Structures are given as C-alpha cells and as structure tokens.
Amino acid sequence: MIRFIAKRLGSGLVVLFVVSALTFCLLYVSSGSIARNILGDQATVEQVAMKEHELGLDQPLMTRYFSWLGDALTGNLGASWFSSEPVANSLATRIPVAMTMVFTAMILIAICAALIGVAAAVKRGWVDRVVQVGAIIGDSIPGFVIGVILVTILAIQMGLFPATSTISPDSGAEAWVYSMSLPVIALLINGVTGGAQQIRSAVIKQLERDYVRTLRSRGIGEREILFKHVLRSAAPAGLTVLSLQLIGMLGGVVIIEQIFALPGMGPLAVAATGQSDLPVVMGVVMYTVVVVIVVNLLVDILNGWLNPKVRVS
Amino acid sequence: MSDSVETAAAAAPAPAAPTPSNHAGQSGTVVRSTVIRRLFKNPLGIAATVILLAISFLAILAPVLAPFDQNHANIAKTLAAPDSVNILGTDSSGRDVWSRLLFGAQLTLLSALLCAGVAIVIGLPAGLIAGYYSGKFEAVSNWVVSILMSLPGLIVLLTIRAAFGPSVWMSMIAFGVLISPSYFRLTRTAVQSVRNELYVDAARVSGLSDLSIIARHIFSVVRAPIIIQTAAIAGVAIAIQSGLEFLGLGDPTKATWGVMLSEGFKNVYLNPTLLFWPAVAMALTIGGLVLLGNAIRDALEDGEKIRHRKKQATPVMGTTAAPATARQSRKSVAAVDAGTEHHLVKVTNLGVGYPQADGTVKKVVDDVSFHVDRGEILGIVGESGSGKSQTAFSILGLLPDNARLVAGSIQFDGNYTVAPGEERVDQARLSKLRGRRISYIPQEPMSNLDPAFTIGYQLVTPMVRVLGISKAEATARALKLLTDVGIVNPHRTFGAYPHEVSGGMAQRVLIAGAISCEPDLVIADEPTTALDVTVQADVLDLLRELQQRLNIGVILVTHNFGVVADLCDRVAVMQNGRLVEEGSVRDILRNPKEHYTRTLLASMLEGKTPMSMLVSSQKEPVA
C-alpha cells in the first residue's frame, strides 16, 4: 500500500512538473509587451527596458523557467507583476475561501447524490423519473447561470439572502452560513443532478450482476445485499464521478466567487488572466494541479481499500 | 459548475455494440434509417431537433434578420423596454438585444462546432491507432489523456486567455484539445472490442489493408456513439465559453450570450429582463443538445424498452391466465391439489413472459410441467434460449424484475410458492425458502462471487443468517464443507479473495455454498459449462456424491446430454420455451420419441459440443 501511494505521488510530481513547464512556456508568448503594460504609455523605452530587466524578462525562457522552479521549490512563488504582492500570500488568504465552498458543496453533493441515486436505482418508478428529468435540466443550465438566477430571484427580488457574501467567519457563524448558502447552492445543483444520475447507473449495473442473484439464492436479505455488497461495489464508480466533479468545481468556483463578489480565487484569477500577470497565473495553476493530485490520490487510496484486487496488485 | 470535460467523458455512453446489426458493415444504411425513424417517434427527439434547427436557422440568417449591427449603440435609448424598433429592448449602451442575441447564436454555435471539430480531429485518429495497434502509442497517449483529464477546463482556458489574449477561437481550440480524450477513449474502447472479432480477422485474412478495415468496419461501430458524444461536448463547450465571456475575458467586440448575461447581471437592479434572454437562449441550446443525445441513444438501444405500466394485468395472448376466481390473496394461499403433496417440487403449466414496448408479452416459457422428488436428479436439457434457465429461476423466485408469470403454478414441498393466477413470485414466501431449503449453483463461477469479500465471508454469512448459528460454528462448518468439496487447503481458500482462486476452485466453493444450509432442493444451472473438461468430470462426481449422501433433489439445467447420461434419473427436453419430451434417462437416451431430442442426441454422439444453434431446430413462434 505504501509503495502504491509512493508511486502515485511520484507520478503526481511528474504531472506537476510537466504542467508547470507547459504553462510557463505558454505564458512566455504573452510576456513580450508586459513591461509596457505595467508602466503605461508614458514610460520611456529606457524605463521599459529597465522594468524588463527587473522582472527578468530579458533572460532566455529556460533560465527564467528554472529560476522560477527553483524559487517555487522553496515555497517562493514570486510576486505579482502589477501589485507586487507575493503570490504565496495572495493564495494563502484566498484558498481557504474557495476550498471552504468547494468542500462544503462536495460533501453535500456526495450525500444528496448518493441518497437520490441509490433510491432511484432501487425504487425505480417516479423517483427514477424525477432523477432522469433532473439530470437533463441540470445538464442544460450551466452552473454560473444557475448562480445568476438564484441571486436575481432569491437575493435581489425576494431579499431572502444577501446578494454579495463578503462576510468573513469572524462576523459570527450564523451570518457567515447565511451568506455562504447561495454560492454553495449554486455550486452544487449541477453536481447533485449529474451525480445522482451516474450513481444510479452504477448501482443498477451492480444490481444486475450475477453475484447479486447468487447472494439472493443464499437467503441473504435485500437490505444486506444492497448496503454491504452492491454499494461497496458501486462505490469506486461513485467516487470517480465525485472526484471528476470536484475537479470541475475548481473552475466553477472561480465564476461563482465572481458572481457573489467573494474574496476567493475568482477575482484573483480573473484579474491576473486579464493582465497576463504570469507569477499569479502560475500560482493559480499550480494550486489547482496540487488539489487535483491530492484528490486523485485520496480516491485511489479509497478505491484500494474498497477493492481487494487493486490492493493486492 | 460541473460542466467540465470530465463530466462529459463520464457521461459518454458505452460504445459497445450500438446496434447488433451494426456489426454487419453493409447494413449500415438500414440501421441508420430505422434509428432516424425511431428518433422521430420520440417526442423529445422531435422537440430537440426542432429547437436546434430553429436556432441554427436564426444563427445562419443573423446578418439578414438582425435589424441592427451587434455593436450599434444608441446612447439616447439605453435600457429601453421592448418596442416596435427594438423588439426585445436595448441594453445599457443602447444596443439592440434581439440583434445581439442573433449574432451571439452565430458565434456560440460556430465556437461549439470548432471545439467539437478539434476534439474529433485529435481524439478519433488517436483512439483508432491506440485501439487498433495498441503498444507504445497507447501507453503514451493514455498518459497524456490522464493529464488532460485531470485539468479543470476553466482554469486551462484562463491560462490560454492570459497567454493569447481574448479570442473565442483560440479558447475553443484549446478546449477542443482538452476535451479530445473523451473521443479518444470512446474510439479506443470501441475499436478494442471489435478488433478481435472474427469478421475483422476475416477482412484481414482476405487481404484488406488496415486502413480500409478501419474505415469499413470499425468506423461503423463508433459512428453512433460519436454523434451522441458530440452533442454532449457541444453543450459543455457552449457552457464554458459563456462562462469565460461572463467573467469579462471574452472578445469585447463580439456579442455573445455570456457577455449579454454579464451585462444583464450588472444592470440587474435596473432591468432584470436583460438576464432573461441570454439565459433562455443558453438553456434552450444546451438542453436541445442534451435531449438530442439522449434521444439518439434511446433510439439506438433497440426500441424494445419496456414501458412500465402501473398495472400490467395484460391478458396474455395464447394460453389464458388462470381464471380470476382462482386468484388467491397473499394471506391465504390455496392448498395444493391432493395427491401431489409428496413431490418435492412440482411445476404445473408454467408460463413466463416479458412485456414488450408494443403491449404484447413475449413468452419465453410456455406450458411447462414437471416434478422432482427427494433424492432424484432431473435434467432439463435444451439449447440456448430454450427457456430452461428461466424455468429454473422461476422456481428460485429470481427472475428479472420485468418478467411476468403468465400462467401456471409452482409448488414446493406441498405448498404453493406460486399459486395459480399469481403474476409475480411472492418474495415473502420464497425468501423463507431460498438458501435454507432451495439453493442454487450458478453457471459462471467467477462472476457469481462478490470480488470484494473473501470466500470465507461469503460462505459463513449465509449460514449465520439462515441457520442462526454463531460465526465460529459457521466457520468450522465452512472449513469442513471446503474439505468435502475436495479443496486440499481449505484454510487458504477460506481466506482468499475470489480472484485469487481458479475457476474450478470457485465452482467448488459455490457448490459448498449451495449445500451449506442443507437444502432439500439444489438447482444447478449449467454447473460445469464454464470449466475445463477434466475439472467438469470432478465437479459432476462431487455433485452426485453429495446428492446421494444428503438425499437431496436436484434440478440440473444443461445443454449437454453427456452430463445428463452421467448424472440424471429423469430428463426433460425443452425447445423454444416448451417441454417437448420427458421421461427416464434410459428411455429417452435409448428411444427418443421427438425429432428434436434425436437431433440433440445426434449432435452429442458425433462428439461435437452443441454450443451453437442446431441447424435443424425450427424456430416455431411461441404462442
């Protein structure tokens, strides 16, 4: 098991390296006029050249990448070219906001999607039809559109929730939960509809397996078959669905934070993208890839625990 | 927002065998026309097609239909309500909402097409090569795919935007690359599943080049799943593109639905209807694509989907169900006919059917009667599809959910498990018998053990549940059972997972499980078919020895007269759901009355394995 984890971690580091190199090269394309953008039209050619030297833009690509990589390995992700704020600091204040939302939404999705999906698979009938229709509606309306609709109706027109959620946890748990409700709901609706649908298919697939019939023939009760055998076998498929949703949500949360004016990754990423602020964009990408690697590793470990075949090999 | 690459890929339908007839490359056109016909029988399919056609039409004719240019701003008339000039009103810069909606449709559809096109151009050939030749290329592409799949789409697009500036086309090309794994995996899986099919081999032997094999055979298999996948991907592309524009990172000179939504959101306090139109346009387009994909998939999954009706009291064609007066309430089950109580199991005029989409019921078992006594082995012989397994599962009460008992009755040890007139097996009655008094030996050993639990657990738990004995006692009994079925090292097998033992061993474990609670009746469904010939003989010997020692009744379902001759006392021959002949093994082997029995016997005596459909068996339509 330890070797398995070490192997996965190793390949995760390779992915991290490859993605960082590719991103850095891509962003290099845009860095030609960056010094001019920072200083504005009034700056003289000499000032621009000095700025480029200051940012290291006069160095060749390889030198720049490896100096960035060397710094990054020591935890120094550089500073924003525009605000000069260290990237690590910006991330440190913003990641908690984004992660709180993502993980709250994910936990709720896992619970709701599993309950609804299993109910649809076992009971069929109207529950099943509601899930199917829900999945189509969820697939049809992008998450951020749902967010916009929720704010407009529930916050702006009905006044049930605050439209913007800049309240910090310090201002009391109740106010905080209240202000976080809408963004989290906007984030999780697609996940619940899609997840329930896919968990339903996974459970139905297991229910049709031969061993389920044999367990029935042995006199094992339906409930025990469902909860002990079927759900366990369907769990890896469910986990994969959820992990893919979590990865997708890392992007989704950027838009949701923008809609609700939350001080998370959204505003940082959007501003940095608009200005081609390379150190900040690199920081955002690296943070994302690290989260993805950790999530995938956790899913692999859980799957190994659920499936003895994986554990052995 | 879960509209990421990965969700689309996960939602991709299984590419395996879109339609059975697709395997014959030549019948492709026939298949396509029936699929299209089925698609247009489905109201949702029609609705989706109409919506998408209408939006495409509006998008293509946008320059003609739009009264204003997309950026024409009338500063004097901002946030105006709809009137005869601006039929949907104007936005905060005085631009015509209707015109911008039309140009937005154009850009949205084109960008979705570009994205899907790029993804196909990359994913399809790569998947074909990886699936057809496998080897190094497959290993490398799998690695690339796993990286692409683990990147959140929006974050990648943000990076692309930072690198290349605001360009719809650039971001859609990038997203196409990012999402190409879904085509890659679809194609590779489909190709792998047909690569070793005989007809592809035949094509290769007959000297066709790899290219024409791919073009003719494999492409016809992946075509349909790709259409479905494209619908899904176009929807995801529209969503993510709009998201990017909503963030203000799109091309500011272009009218798009995302920009319009963002503009509406900024003015939500002044004029919330600005939000309404782009949101509706998006939902209609993406919804149309989702519905179209679903409708095509439904049309492909042969139209025989059973409509679940609340009351399936369908009067079945052919033999009439028992008269209503014979229907018994669950509480008081009728007593069985006098003089038949001594039979261990007695099946009378049994009929099993499956309701079809058109309201008829397809019968798979029709008017079958037989009985089994204690200490007796009855063989049920017939080719695949003769209804022998369905008969066996009726006795166990383990028919699929959509099966209906359309006629007849089943009694076990003097009580009805299915009384005359009952449509479904009463699980309350049978669950008391299953495991305890009636048990089952399946055909395929490996798939009948739960891979996630040890063999020991799977032997012990039924004994604990059914017999109510302690875990320690059950463990001791399980170890003894494993020895009884001829396993040399019972402790090791007890602790092993199913994938750690051989097929023959697994079948012995299943036999041990079947007799663990000392049943009166064992139903063995082709217990040796999946095993090697040498192991087959061992398993049959074991069955006979156990049966004699425990004096149990056995129903042995098989297609093999050799097994019957070896083991059975009596034999029932089934064909097309009917019982054609029944008698003692000696009589039937020596003096078969029915032509079909003789054919079955002949096919065995010539030393062939009668696995395939017999040539001389005439398929008579059953009732």
Side-chain angles (χ1 to χ4, degrees), chain B residues 437 439-441 514-515 519-524 543 552-556:
Chain B
R437 304 200 56 195
S439 73
Y440 164 62
I441 303 172
I515 58 168
D520 301 303
L521 175 71
V522 171
I523 295 176
L543 260 180
I552 47 184
V554 175
I555 295 177
L556 184 74

Side-chain angles (χ1 to χ4, degrees), chain B residues 41 59 68 151 207 218 285 421 451 464 534 549 589:
Chain B
K41 267 188 186 166
F68 297 96
L151 298 174
I218 293 175
T285 314
V464 172
T534 46
R549 188 154 57 83
L589 284 182

Side-chain angles (χ1 to χ4, degrees), chain B residues 321-474:
Chain B
T325 46
R327 284 175 188 274
Q328 300 295 329
S329 77
R330 294 264 155 104
K331 304 278 182 291
S332 60
V333 179
V336 300
D337 291 342
T340 63
E341 306 92 337
H342 66 282
H343 292 308
L344 182 58
V345 67
K346 186 171 188 303
V347 174
T348 313
N349 304 328
L350 182 71
V352 178
Y354 288 85
Q356 304 294 304
D358 56 7
T360 61
V361 174
K362 188 181 168 211
K363 278 199 184 180
V364 294
V365 173
D366 188 19
D367 200 18
V368 166
S369 303
F370 60 82
H371 66 86
V372 182
D373 291 333
R374 273 170 231 280
E376 186 182 41
I377 305 186
L378 172 77
I380 301 182
V381 194
E383 63 194 62
S384 311
S386 61
K388 52 193 195 311
S389 293
Q390 295 289 319
T391 308
F393 289 136
S394 313
I395 301 171
L396 279 162
L398 293 177
L399 286 168
D401 281 345
N402 51 342
R404 296 285 178 281
L405 295 169
V406 293
S409 64
I410 300 171
Q411 63 192 64
F412 177 81
D413 199 20
N415 294 303
Y416 280 121
T417 56
V418 178
E422 286 182 331
E423 266 205 346
R424 284 171 179 268
V425 174
D426 184 349
Q427 292 298 343
R429 246 176 271 154
L430 254 164
S431 62
K432 290 194 197 100
L433 299 173
R434 267 199 308 263
R436 186 187 312 262
R437 304 200 56 195
I438 308 178
S439 73
Y440 164 62
I441 303 172
Q443 171 172 5
E444 168 58 51
M446 279 312 181
S447 67
N448 278 285
L449 289 166
D450 185 340
F453 290 86
T454 62
I455 284 168
Y457 179 89
Q458 297 185 58
L459 281 175
V460 165
T461 315
M463 284 192 270
V464 172
R465 298 281 181 279
V466 170
L467 302 176
I469 57 177
S470 74
K471 220 171 165 183
E473 196 184 342

Side-chain angles (χ1 to χ4, degrees), chain B residues 10 57 78 95 108 125 139 176 188 191 217 393 532 542 561 585:
Chain B
F57 179 79
T78 59
R95 293 172 296 195
T108 303
R188 187 197 51 193
V191 170
H217 294 281
F393 289 136
D532 284 343
L542 171 68
F561 255 112
V585 169

Side-chain angles (χ1 to χ4, degrees), chain A residues 210 214 218 224 228-229 276, chain B residues 162 440 447-448 450 457 465:
Chain A
D210 285 350
T214 301
R218 295 279 186 266
E224 183 173 347
K228 217 158 185 175
H229 297 271
S276 300
Chain B
Y440 164 62
S447 67
N448 278 285
D450 185 340
Y457 179 89
R465 298 281 181 279

